[in-house]
Amino acid sequence: MNDNVLEKLKTLAESAKYDVSCASSGTTRKHTQGSVGSASGWGICHSFTEDGRCVSLLKIMLTNYCMYDCAYCINRRTNDIKRATFSVSELVDLTIEFYRRNYIEGLFLSSGVVRNPDYTMERLVRVVKDLRLIHRFNGYIHLKSIPGASRELVDEAGLYADRMSVNIEIPNETSLKTLAPDKDFQSVYLPMQYIQQGALQSIEERKHFRSAPRFVPAGQSTQMIVGATADTDKDILNLSSNLYQKPTMKRVYYSGFVPVNEYDKRLPALKQPPLVRENRLYQADWLLRFYQFSVDEIVDSSFPNLDLEIDPKLSWALRHPSLFPVDVNLAEYEMLLRVPGIGVKSAKLIVVSRRFGRLSSWQLKKMGVVMKKAQYFITCNELPFHHTVNELTPERVRGLLTKGAKKMNDSQLLIPFQD
Amino acid sequence: MLVFRYDKSFEGLLTAVFDGYTRREFPDLLLGEADMPPLFFDEIADIYTDTEKSTRVWNGLKKRMSETALYMLPEVWLSELPEVDMLLFRYIRKTFDSKQSIELNFGDPDVMELTKIWKHVSKERLRVIQFVRFQKTSDDIFFACIEPEYNVIPLVLNHFTDRFHDQRWLIYDSKRDFGFFYDLKKPVEVHLDGKQWDGNGCLNDQSAAEDEKLYQKLWQGYYSSMTIKERINPRLHRQNLPVRFWKFLPEKRK
């Protein structure tokens, strides 16, 4: 441990930071005698960087040497950046010492591809295996599966990692082929399938033998880059929705494209990353996972892209004014969830507390309902004192709700593609 | 106006509930022993904390509400907010006077208020779990100093005992001047006189372990490399990482 390690740490963190996955959730594990640490089911963020993203795991690359030349990646072979490689003992020591000081929840290990996918994967597996078996590390481990890695290695890795992920990066194969000539969908989907099969098999085995080993108990995740290709939100969300059908897929992350290789003419020139679009995609993702929306309700061929000015739920509600107003004292939970301004928490509060008596707008406000939005879509004890969306027309409501909002920075709307 | 005077302890509050039901009259105001009484009042009744009475109230509550709601009460008490005792008093009375548990009646202002305070306390508890930063001392104790807004250190002990069961640690609340020391068996409450750390909770050079500075430097280096410059968002940053914790975090120290 010395300044040399500090330099390596900086270089490899710099290379790993564009991976957005950060969650340390999905596994609950108490300490066992002789081991270090535990895992808490909901995940804990230990710090936040100045861009507002959380630091939960020690997100690091084993090496940033890479034989691939993907246009969107900072670590592409042709980039002239500082390269470094950690030794197993350095990485293990850093993880344990950081963990003991409560800096991190665990390790998120990724790597550039050196020699071939299997060689790289084998080295990653060796680190996690050492950490778990020799150093008895019991905290969270998220391991990146290298695209194209063989089944045997994924099967072994799954025994030590809590979560594994393979990044799709680009939502359709033709664009992927253009930007990353060395990759194809096969190399991404196969490891994904191995992980799923391993996990399902382990669940089945554990029904018969309680001591059967767990296999990636926190499931898998993936990530897509937003704004690097001409794909619409419809393409992206349809792909996410399909991925969520898989039993082990827990999260799909969206990463606003940060132009790290500005010289590459295959990529659009952006003044700044498409942060608003990224945010809207996350909101749509939440609608899919927690609000019982289906993907065709959020985007379809007539609305292939999400509205950047208003959130997807409000946008859906304004397209379907005939379903409103909703009576909060009578409506079903599923319908409450669809009201703009009512979230999962407030919908649950409404359902349990309306048994005790009719609810009024001041009570809804205290429960956390955003009345500014919800007032046009609900009736309760005394509402509507305003007109609802039906009398006001959706355009008027839209105008009222976007009035005074900060003017959109149109550098994000403008994506000049060159073909 | 009836005033109850008690010792400002949770048991004292439960005793006050018991005495209220015995007297069949309830206070309009709760005072601590040192507080000034208001200008006009009819009677001040002194409440003598009695574990037998408070246990009976506690057991009564146990029968009338779910365990989750029951343990909210002492946690809300730890918020140490000025009016919180009267709120708890009203909540407990409503629980006893109602046929069914009131814990889910969020239309009731007291239930909502109590839930809200409980959420604040839980959030602060979570923040302590997130932002405690241990420093290794020369005698291999992991020391952390923090100043939570509410008195939540007692609520994080289970988490830290489970996670760091094989290392000796000390978490100190420098605002309330007490802490808990875990010596590989169970955490015990301690009060320290000779402080070996500065205002930022930083250990002195002679009491810190040899490699402590190095790991802090490594962590700082890692932290600053993780920031994506194109996405800087100071407002979100401060929202997630409140400024009041900054002085205790090595990564935010200059």
Side-chain angles (χ1 to χ4, degrees):
Chain A
M1 286 293 131
N2 48 36
D3 286 344
N4 183 15
V5 177
L6 179 63
E7 272 317 301
K8 276 191 196 174
L9 182 65
K10 279 183 177 169
T11 313
L12 291 166
E14 197 78 48
S15 289
K17 70 182 174 186
Y18 296 99
D19 206 306
V20 283
S21 165
C22 64
S24 55
S25 56
T27 321
T28 307
R29 204 170 31 226
K30 296 257 170 223
H31 80 260
T32 50
Q33 213 45 252
S35 71
V36 186
S38 63
S40 74
W42 65 89
I44 300 168
C45 308
H46 284 284
S47 191
F48 294 85
T49 52
E50 273 158 46
D51 48 34
R53 302 179 316 148
C54 83
V55 182
S56 176
L57 304 170
L58 174 65
K59 196 186 291 178
I60 200 84
M61 290 193 120
L62 189 59
T63 175
N64 62 350
Y65 285 99
C66 191
M67 57 184 224
Y68 288 164
D69 200 25
C70 311
Y72 49 78
C73 179
I74 189 166
N75 303 316
R76 59 189 291 186
R77 182 182 61 219
T78 44
N79 260 7
D80 180 26
I81 57 165
K82 227 194 249 175
R83 308 273 172 176
T85 305
F86 265 132
S87 74
V88 176
S89 68
E90 284 166 344
L91 196 54
V92 165
D93 186 54
L94 272 177
T95 311
I96 302 248
E97 289 298 328
F98 280 2
Y99 191 85
R100 285 197 178 282
R101 287 168 174 76
N102 205 36
Y103 295 167
I104 52 170
E105 273 301 282
L107 178 67
F108 178 150
L109 189 61
S110 170
S111 175
V113 183
V114 272
R115 278 198 226 173
N116 58 52
D118 275 348
Y119 176 80
T120 317
M121 191 67 199
E122 206 181 333
R123 294 211 309 176
L124 289 182
V125 175
R126 200 184 313 150
V127 176
V128 260
K129 201 171 166 182
D130 262 24
L131 209 48
R132 283 277 195 244
L133 299 184
I134 299 175
H135 302 273
R136 305 290 306 274
F137 179 68
N138 201 26
Y140 198 90
I141 296 180
H142 181 153
L143 187 66
K144 192 114 262 175
S145 177
I146 302 296
S150 71
R151 170 157 211 159
E152 290 70 33
L153 287 167
V154 176
D155 279 351
E156 193 180 6
L159 298 175
Y160 309 112
D162 285 293
R163 174 170 282 184
M164 286 181 75
S165 59
V166 202
N167 285 353
I168 296 180
E169 306 290 14
I170 305 293
N172 84 55
E173 191 161 16
T174 359
S175 322
L176 181 70
K177 278 274 184 199
T178 345
L179 295 184
D182 313 297
K183 287 187 188 168
D184 53 20
F185 263 23
Q186 169 98 346
S187 66
V188 175
Y189 282 119
L190 268 182
M192 235 180 224
Q193 224 167 19
Y194 299 152
I195 297 169
Q196 178 178 321
Q197 284 164 359
L200 293 180
Q201 194 182 339
S202 141
I203 292 171
E204 197 52 42
E205 277 166 10
R206 283 172 64 82
K207 282 183 193 156
H208 302 290
F209 311 101
R210 271 195 56 186
S211 57
R214 300 219 280 181
F215 189 94
V216 282
Q220 52 177 328
S221 67
T222 189
Q223 121 174 0
M224 278 185 261
I225 299 177
V226 177
T229 53
D231 300 302
T232 59
D233 293 342
K234 182 174 165 250
D235 304 330
I236 297 176
L237 287 171
N238 268 314
L239 181 54
S240 317
S241 164
N242 284 338
L243 288 168
Y244 283 134
Q245 306 295 322
K246 298 190 179 192
T248 50
M249 183 56 71
K250 298 291 183 209
R251 277 296 292 275
V252 176
Y253 291 92
Y254 308 95
S255 156
F257 171 61
V258 181
V260 281
N261 306 319
E262 277 164 13
Y263 56 86
D264 197 314
K265 293 293 173 243
R266 284 171 294 173
L267 294 166
L270 299 183
K271 279 188 214 148
Q272 64 181 100
L275 297 180
V276 179
R277 183 171 173 210
E278 179 194 297
N279 181 23
R280 294 289 179 234
L281 277 168
Y282 274 115
Q283 286 173 326
D285 189 78
W286 250 246
L287 293 184
L288 288 178
R289 291 193 297 143
F290 303 116
Y291 289 81
Q292 307 175 6
F293 273 78
S294 71
V295 66
D296 330 321
E297 291 175 297
I298 306 170
V299 278
D300 52 35
S301 31
S302 49
F303 295 95
N305 280 311
L306 297 170
D307 197 330
L308 293 185
E309 221 175 21
I310 54 175
D311 64 84
K313 192 159 109 177
L314 181 59
S315 155
W316 174 83
L318 292 177
R319 277 181 276 143
H320 300 86
S322 59
L323 297 172
F324 297 100
V326 164
D327 186 344
V328 287
N329 285 305
L330 294 173
E332 281 170 32
Y333 173 69
E334 290 74 25
M335 198 56 217
L336 285 176
L337 279 182
R338 296 192 165 227
V339 178
I342 297 184
V344 174
K345 278 184 191 157
S346 38
K348 283 189 177 149
L349 286 187
I350 289 171
V351 172
V352 294
S353 33
R354 67 187 179 186
R355 291 189 201 132
F356 294 85
R358 291 181 67 77
L359 297 174
S360 316
S361 59
W362 64 272
Q363 287 164 317
L364 294 179
K365 205 169 191 170
K366 288 217 157 175
M367 285 175 195
V369 175
V370 183
M371 289 306 277
K372 191 185 145 205
K373 281 185 195 168
Q375 58 178 342
Y376 305 111
F377 300 95
I378 56 170
T379 57
C380 56
N381 222 0
E382 76 287 353
L383 275 174
F385 45 75
H386 282 288
H387 297 297
T388 65
V389 63
N390 289 307
E391 289 92 44
L392 285 172
T393 74
E395 293 72 41
R396 212 31 236 299
V397 172
R398 190 195 165 97
L400 284 169
L401 287 175
T402 47
K403 195 177 59 184
K406 252 196 313 188
K407 204 182 161 297
M408 297 274 307
N409 184 350
D410 53 5
S411 70
Q412 294 192 359
L413 303 173
L414 204 148
I415 305 177
F417 281 99
Q418 300 168 342
D419 11 26
Chain B
M1 189 177 181
L2 175 63
V3 178
F4 274 14
R5 192 153 56 190
Y6 74 118
D7 62 352
K8 284 274 175 194
S9 70
F10 189 65
E11 285 72 29
L13 183 72
L14 295 182
T15 312
V17 174
F18 189 94
D19 284 0
Y21 276 100
T22 323
R23 299 165 57 114
R24 291 175 198 281
E25 51 181 355
F26 298 97
D28 305 289
L29 187 68
L30 290 169
L31 280 185
E33 276 155 353
D35 293 343
M36 276 285 286
L39 219 46
F40 303 103
F41 56 88
D42 302 320
E43 190 194 344
I44 292 191
D46 282 309
I47 306 294
Y48 302 102
T49 304
D50 181 338
T51 16
E52 202 174 309
K53 287 178 184 173
S54 63
T55 321
R56 271 186 66 184
V57 173
W58 184 252
N59 289 337
L61 285 171
K62 238 186 213 167
K63 283 182 207 143
R64 280 172 180 79
M65 58 206 300
S66 71
E67 203 165 294
T68 329
L70 182 69
Y71 282 98
M72 270 169 73
L73 303 179
E75 291 186 17
V76 167
W77 173 261
L78 288 178
S79 72
E80 300 176 339
L81 293 169
E83 294 289 315
V84 80
D85 48 357
M86 205 58 215
L87 176 70
L88 280 165
F89 198 101
R90 284 200 302 273
Y91 185 92
I92 293 173
R93 262 196 74 193
K94 279 182 183 168
T95 304
F96 279 124
D97 294 347
S98 145
K99 282 207 184 70
Q100 62 191 108
S101 167
I102 58 157
E103 66 198 54
L104 293 178
N105 184 8
F106 297 103
D108 183 300
D110 284 336
V111 178
M112 197 66 233
E113 180 66 20
L114 193 101
T115 314
K116 206 165 259 175
I117 297 178
W118 178 74
K119 274 188 191 152
H120 288 310
V121 175
S122 312
K123 179 106 200 185
E124 192 67 6
R125 167 182 177 270
L126 182 63
R127 284 192 162 140
V128 170
I129 289 177
Q130 292 176 296
F131 303 138
V132 151
R133 293 285 183 267
F134 288 115
Q135 303 161 64
K136 202 170 168 185
T137 64
S138 44
D139 40 6
D140 273 351
I141 294 171
F142 285 82
F143 164 80
C145 181
I146 198 158
E147 287 175 357
E149 191 177 346
Y150 309 122
N151 189 5
V152 290
I153 304 283
L155 303 179
V156 301
L157 299 175
N158 278 344
H159 171 83
F160 284 109
T161 322
D162 180 37
R163 173 156 295 188
F164 300 116
H165 67 104
D166 65 337
Q167 69 192 46
R168 293 188 297 158
W169 49 258
L170 168 67
I171 300 176
Y172 206 76
D173 184 339
S174 53
K175 192 152 105 190
R176 295 173 184 80
D177 202 16
F178 82 110
F180 287 88
F181 176 60
Y182 172 76
D183 60 349
L184 305 179
K185 287 184 194 76
K186 64 176 202 302
V188 279
E189 192 173 326
V190 287
H191 166 82
L192 299 180
D193 284 325
K195 304 268 187 295
Q196 288 169 337
W197 60 88
D198 63 13
N200 295 342
C202 243
L203 283 177
N204 304 344
D205 285 342
Q206 63 267 33
S207 36
E210 231 174 272
D211 53 2
E212 179 53 38
K213 277 271 156 328
L214 172 71
Y215 282 106
Q216 287 191 21
K217 211 168 113 191
L218 285 165
W219 177 241
Q220 283 160 350
Y222 173 73
Y223 176 81
S224 56
S225 305
M226 280 312 279
T227 307
I228 298 180
K229 307 275 176 314
E230 291 87 344
R231 300 181 58 126
I232 294 273
N233 187 345
R235 210 175 133 230
L236 183 60
H237 177 58
R238 280 196 306 275
Q239 200 178 322
N240 285 330
L241 189 67
V243 179
R244 61 196 160 92
F245 289 107
W246 285 13
K247 59 176 180 174
F248 301 112
L249 303 173
E251 65 266 33
K252 295 303 291 180
R253 243 180 261 136
K254 283 290 164 287

